[in-house]
Amino acid sequence: MNTCFDALIVGGGLVGASLALALARQGRQVALIEGQQPPLTGLDRPDDWDPRVYAISPANQAFLQGLHAWPDASRLGVVAGMDVRGDRHGRIAFHAADAGQPALAWIAENRWLLAALWQQLADSPAQCIAGVRPTAISQHPRHVSLTLDDGRSLNTRLLIGADGANSWVRQQTGIRVDVSPYGHSGVVANFVAERDHGNIARQWFLGDGILAWLPLPGQRISMVWSTAKPEALTALDAASLCDTVAQAGGRELGGFSLLTPAHAFPLRLMRPDSVVAPRIALVGDAAHTVHPLAGQGVNLGFGDAHALAALLAEHGGDPGEWLLLRRYQRMRREAVNTMQLTCDGLFKLFHTQDPLLGWLRNTGLSLTQHLPLIKRQLARQAIGF
Ligand SMILES: Cc1cc2nc3c(=O)[nH]c(=O)nc-3n(C[C@H](O)[C@H](O)[C@H](O)COP(=O)(O)OP(=O)(O)OC[C@H]3O[C@@H](n4cnc5c(N)ncnc54)[C@H](O)[C@@H]3O)c2cc1C
């Protein structure tokens, strides 16, 4: 008789891997299926900086620290404050100190977090199956069967889709998804700046794009530039890219030298009608995507993983019970909707050509700068309170 797992997770990115680890630590029987080979190496290349970085909120830092998958200070940028500029001299700056905290967020590399999670998984009782993909699902009243492309068949009481924005698991459920492309790509690259960034994350709403410089250790910074013309950046040679990016930020940190070449990721808003189906739950980008202007995509995903793991710990019984899955969906709805609407609203507000809205958005930023109570609230929201 085949083992029936408590939870079978498809997709071992940051969200799936963290959830597998959290459930294994609870004593649940867990299997993790990842289509690629696990990223177990990469922590031993000190000069190699991943262009894909995340601003991790304090709540998720605590979650990752609890899983023993948190990088040391040599690989972490600290965001002590934010300085946001509008396209017509609007400006707002706020600091973690406004919310009585040491940091608004930490900047961590994708590759380091992934390798740390997979190393922890290797020492956990979770069964990790890498380099295979599922080919079919069959749903039964008390379990789900998953067939893999190596011919194996696995049974589980709860199937979790953590397989990213194009989720195969979601497609099998037939859940309808609303997809709105932004017509922009996020171009990411790392640089070493001439001047100290002072642990400040800088963001410019440029009118035709949104540019962010995130602090990394030393004088390094990581750039995310949301633009309709990604090839105008990715096709540049190193010197021209450095010059273009430094110039777009008014040379606030002096000149740049290139640390990691530019890569582009298409951006879209995705909102499935539901994130649960009988004995199936979706987490991370499989359940939602957001514009990266607030750096919250993976934070929402960790929030899903944390919430689902906490619900299963509290419940103890059948992890695929329908009422439990409905509770998970309700628990996450507000945080996800609020973040999607906020990021989408800001993107649209700063891309409209309407002159009145142009004046309003910049005046709004500058007015808020002089309202300490609202600034404190903004700092608290950035932190995730
Ligand atoms: C330019 C850009 C900048 C961003 N910046 C930030 C930021 O600063 N902060 C932030 O919080 N978020 C940010 N995000 C969002 C963030 O990248 C995503 O939210 C996050 O990577 C989602 O993680 P995930 O584990 O859900 O999915 P993924 O990272 O997509 O992982 C999915 C995993 O599933 C595997 N997989 C897929 N299909 C199958 C299958 N059929 N079978 C088996 N395995 C499969 C894949 O190999 C992969 O390992 C940014 C996004 C972009 C595009």
Side-chain angles (χ1 to χ4, degrees), residues 6-353:
D6 288 320
L8 205 160
I9 301 170
V10 178
L14 289 179
V15 177
S18 64
L19 180 55
L21 195 53
L23 295 179
R25 296 252 167 95
Q26 284 175 16
R28 293 281 190 179
Q29 269 201 303
V30 184
L32 177 63
I33 316 280
E34 166 55 48
Q36 320 231 353
Q37 283 309 319
L40 282 172
T41 56
L43 300 183
D44 51 351
R45 300 199 298 266
D47 298 328
D48 192 0
W49 289 80
D50 193 346
R52 189 119 189 194
V53 303
Y54 300 114
I56 307 285
S57 69
N60 289 323
Q61 183 235 9
F63 176 54
L64 290 168
Q65 224 159 20
L67 296 174
H68 308 293
W70 188 243
D72 67 33
S74 69
R75 301 303 291 202
L76 274 179
V78 180
V79 183
M82 283 201 71
D83 191 351
V84 182
R85 259 63 67 88
D87 51 337
R88 296 189 209 162
H89 311 295
R91 183 168 190 173
I92 181 167
F94 52 93
H95 291 84
D98 294 331
Q101 296 294 318
L104 292 170
W106 286 268
I107 309 295
E109 297 157 273
N110 181 61
R111 180 164 52 80
W112 273 66
L113 290 175
L114 254 187
L117 283 167
W118 274 83
Q119 283 180 358
Q120 291 295 323
L121 277 167
D123 293 333
S124 82
Q127 189 172 331
C128 298
I129 307 172
V132 295
R133 286 177 176 263
T135 54
I137 288 177
S138 62
Q139 281 166 280
H140 307 274
R142 299 195 61 77
H143 73 279
V144 177
S145 292
L146 197 70
T147 309
L148 305 182
D149 60 8
D150 63 1
R152 262 181 285 185
S153 171
L154 303 173
N155 294 332
T156 182
R157 292 194 287 168
L158 173 62
L159 177 68
I160 298 170
D163 47 349
N166 298 320
S167 172
W168 176 88
V169 173
R170 191 186 63 227
Q171 286 165 25
Q172 307 313 300
T173 62
I175 292 171
R176 200 189 69 85
V177 197
D178 220 26
V179 183
S180 316
Y182 280 108
H184 271 211
S185 289
V187 179
V188 295
N190 295 333
F191 302 89
V192 180
E194 209 176 346
R195 288 203 287 272
D196 191 9
H197 49 58
N199 294 333
I200 301 296
R202 294 169 169 80
Q203 189 166 41
W204 291 266
F205 287 86
L206 299 170
D208 58 352
I210 305 165
L211 171 66
W213 294 353
L214 306 172
L216 289 173
Q219 295 193 192
R220 301 174 190 92
I221 63 138
S222 184
M223 169 197 83
V224 186
W225 193 335
S226 165
T227 169
K229 296 187 183 124
E231 57 292 340
L233 295 170
T234 52
L236 292 176
D237 61 45
S240 312
L241 178 66
C242 288
D243 200 51
T244 305
V245 175
Q247 181 63 36
R251 299 199 178 272
E252 250 178 41
L253 298 180
F256 284 176
S257 58
L258 190 63
L259 190 59
T260 332
H263 297 271
F265 300 89
L267 303 176
R268 62 208 158 143
L269 173 68
M270 290 183 52
R271 311 184 75 192
D273 282 353
S274 170
V275 298
V276 294
R279 295 205 170 270
I280 297 177
L282 303 175
V283 293
D285 275 18
H288 41 68
T289 62
V290 289
H291 192 284
L293 65 85
Q296 290 298 324
V298 86
N299 282 300
L300 283 177
F302 284 136
D304 298 343
H306 193 197
L308 191 54
L311 262 184
L312 293 190
E314 180 194 315
H315 174 70
D318 179 355
E321 237 175 55
W322 182 235
L323 286 180
L324 191 74
L325 299 185
R326 293 288 303 270
R327 230 176 113 197
Y328 160 69
Q329 167 151 288
R330 275 198 308 278
M331 269 175 81
R332 296 302 297 148
R333 188 175 286 148
E334 192 187 329
V336 171
N337 282 351
T338 306
M339 192 52 71
Q340 285 182 320
L341 290 176
T342 306
C343 294
D344 195 51
L346 275 172
F347 178 83
K348 288 181 177 144
L349 182 64
F350 278 92
H351 282 84
T352 174
Q353 299 305 317

